[in-house]
């Protein structure tokens, strides 16, 4: 029997609190979207990358290298933590449900991140195929 609970409401209160406390200062932190631990002790880190409908790219055609110059600190920090934990890092491009590209999800298993480049193994999926894969990843961590 699992001691975990189902996901409920989105909790942005911690983010809102940190934002208030920084009072407009630039942040030194990165937010982790999801960290889970498999039964064998291996950590899996997920970072969700939203493709807005107004962008010229969609989840299957976008890649972090397109905007590495804007988010270098985020990606290099994620990679540093991934290495420290001997974890697996997945970047997930997605679009909001109800939008034109909602059925496109790009699962990217990160193999390396340098100062200038994110190297990935890419798996273009449908929303349903990603969901099935994601649920399996969740199950091996219960």
């Amino acid at each position: 029997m699992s001691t975990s609970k189902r996901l409920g409401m989105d909790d942005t209160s911690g983010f809102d609190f940190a934002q208030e406390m920084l009072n407009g200062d630039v942040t030194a932190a990165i937010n982790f979207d999801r960290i889970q631990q498999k039964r064998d002790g291996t950590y899996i880190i997920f970072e969700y990358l939203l493709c807005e409908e107004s962008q010229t790219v969609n989840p299957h055609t976008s890649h972090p290298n397109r905007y590495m110059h804007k988010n270098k600190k985020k990606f290099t920090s994620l990679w540093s933590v991934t290495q420290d934990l001997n974890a697996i890092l997945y970047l997930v491009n997605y679009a909001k449900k109800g939008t034109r590209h909602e059925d496109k999800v790009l699962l990217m298993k990160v193999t390396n991140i340098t100062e200038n480049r994110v190297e990935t193994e890419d798996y273009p999926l449908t929303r349903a195929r990603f969901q099935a894969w994601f649920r399996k990843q969740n199950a091996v961590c219960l």
Side-chain angles (χ1 to χ4, degrees), residues 41-108:
T42 305
Y43 284 96
I44 304 171
I45 302 171
F46 291 93
E47 180 65 22
Y48 303 126
L49 306 170
L50 174 64
C51 286
E52 296 284 355
E53 200 164 17
S54 61
Q55 291 178 267
T56 58
V57 293
N58 66 61
H60 282 178
T61 61
S62 184
H63 193 278
N65 288 332
R66 295 175 70 94
Y67 48 90
M68 183 69 166
H69 63 285
K70 293 181 185 178
N71 288 317
K72 182 189 315 189
K73 177 79 169 158
K74 172 183 180 173
F75 292 121
T76 57
S77 295
L78 276 168
W79 187 243
S80 179
V81 171
T82 298
Q83 300 292 242
D84 289 348
L85 293 176
N86 196 27
I88 300 166
L89 174 59
Y90 290 105
L91 306 177
V92 182
N93 283 356
Y94 73 101
K96 290 180 182 175
K97 195 157 181 73
T99 62
R100 181 174 35 147
H101 297 294
E102 72 177 340
D103 201 36
K104 294 177 182 171
V105 177
L106 180 61
L107 175 64
M108 296 171 276

